[in-house]
Amino acid sequence: MARIERRADRPARPASPSTNGDVFVLPDLLAYGVRILPGLLLIGACFALARAERDPLLRILTLIFGFVLIRDAMTPLGFWRLGAAGGVPWLRFTDQAGLLLLFALGTVALTAAVLGPGSGLRSLVRWGRFTPATLAWGIGGGVLAAAPVLLLSLPTPLPSRGGAVAVTLLPVLLLFSLAGNLAEEVLFRGFLQGRLEQHAGAVRAALLSALLFAACHAFLASTVTDVGWPLLAFTLYEGLICAFLRLRSGVIAAALAHGAAIFLLASALV
């Protein structure tokens, strides 16, 4: 386990001047696919069997398990790095723009698939309207989620909390942050919170979705990496913001907040 933790916190692989680091995309994707395929096959079999159930909760939990596998397996391969400096969490993504773009497009495709009419889950998602007010709530929620971490990390030198990020990478990083966290919000605030609201009060459903969201980062915090409680504290705080944004304005606002917060933390703009 110590070897995996060191790999999770290793420095980002330097980009080649001629390829911008993307020469490694295909081998890395193959290694990643080999790593997650057995688990995805088992999870897919569970989802197929769960579709016979009237209650969609089992299907929702199965999809969440699949997402956690896909996300956490990024860590030992160096697709992202997480750490804590002075009790404050930080994260950085790979500098391979092509890899981030492929992950973003793949995540959008998977999200569209689970929202398809065949899944039977689309009706649970309350999107809300994409209006200037929704945009403001989403961006404001993202700033609110990221602000404590950014402010507390200011005394720590940038190299000790992940290092600088190339300006040319920022547009792709923004796309990746929005796409990846749209998928996560569809699962937790769309499917899960929507399902919980059918049998619990709206506030209780929001609290439960936030708590389960943070709990699904427990392995990432304690076994996949050694970041520990700072990551759980942040994800609970972020989850509460997104859950109540979903309650007020819908999944669009929650997804914007989540994506904006991750972009602010990973971009090294502060």
Side-chain angles (χ1 to χ4, degrees):
M1 179 55 64
R3 180 178 66 86
I4 293 178
E5 291 173 355
R6 286 197 297 271
R7 291 184 66 190
D9 293 329
R10 68 186 180 186
R13 182 163 33 205
S16 164
S18 61
T19 63
N20 194 31
D22 293 335
V23 69
F24 298 102
V25 167
L26 184 57
D28 283 354
L29 283 177
L30 289 174
Y32 178 71
V34 168
R35 181 179 288 266
I36 66 173
L37 182 59
L40 287 181
L41 291 174
L42 290 172
I43 290 169
C46 291
F47 183 81
L49 289 173
R51 292 189 62 182
E53 300 293 330
R54 291 185 177 181
D55 190 337
L57 185 59
L58 182 56
R59 277 173 283 161
I60 295 168
L61 294 176
T62 303
L63 288 173
I64 289 174
F65 292 154
F67 180 85
V68 170
L69 169 64
I70 291 169
R71 181 197 67 201
D72 289 4
M74 292 171 62
T75 316
L77 291 173
F79 293 163
W80 67 342
R81 296 176 294 128
L82 298 97
V88 182
W90 58 263
L91 76 154
R92 293 292 184 271
F93 290 96
T94 176
D95 59 0
Q96 300 178 64
L99 190 60
L100 290 177
L101 183 59
L102 287 173
F103 269 118
L105 295 176
T107 303
V108 170
L110 288 173
T111 304
V114 299
L115 285 168
S119 71
L121 300 173
R122 185 167 55 181
S123 62
L124 294 171
V125 182
R126 184 169 71 82
W127 289 104
R129 297 175 60 192
F130 189 76
T131 64
T134 300
L135 183 63
W137 277 105
I139 295 175
V143 172
L144 182 64
V149 175
L150 295 175
L151 291 174
L152 289 171
S153 66
L154 285 177
T156 304
L158 189 58
S160 298
R161 47 186 172 95
V165 175
V167 174
T168 54
L169 189 66
L170 294 182
V172 178
L173 182 59
L174 177 60
L175 175 63
F176 172 81
S177 299
L178 291 172
N181 293 295
L182 169 64
E184 202 163 5
E185 288 305 305
V186 166
L187 291 175
F188 282 94
R189 252 61 69 177
F191 297 158
L192 182 62
Q193 191 166 334
R195 165 61 181 78
L196 292 173
E197 281 182 349
Q198 295 177 347
H199 297 278
V203 173
R204 186 181 177 194
L207 291 172
L208 279 169
S209 81
L211 287 166
L212 288 167
F213 173 75
C216 284
H217 289 78
F219 290 108
L220 184 62
S222 304
T223 61
V224 181
T225 73
D226 58 356
V227 179
W229 70 264
L231 180 57
L232 295 181
F234 169 73
T235 52
L236 177 58
Y237 172 62
E238 181 190 38
L240 287 169
I241 290 173
C242 291
F244 282 95
L245 278 174
R246 150 60 177 80
L247 188 59
R248 185 194 184 282
S249 302
V251 171
I252 292 174
L256 286 171
H258 196 162
I262 296 303
F263 174 74
L264 289 171
L265 294 177
S267 62
L269 293 176
V270 178

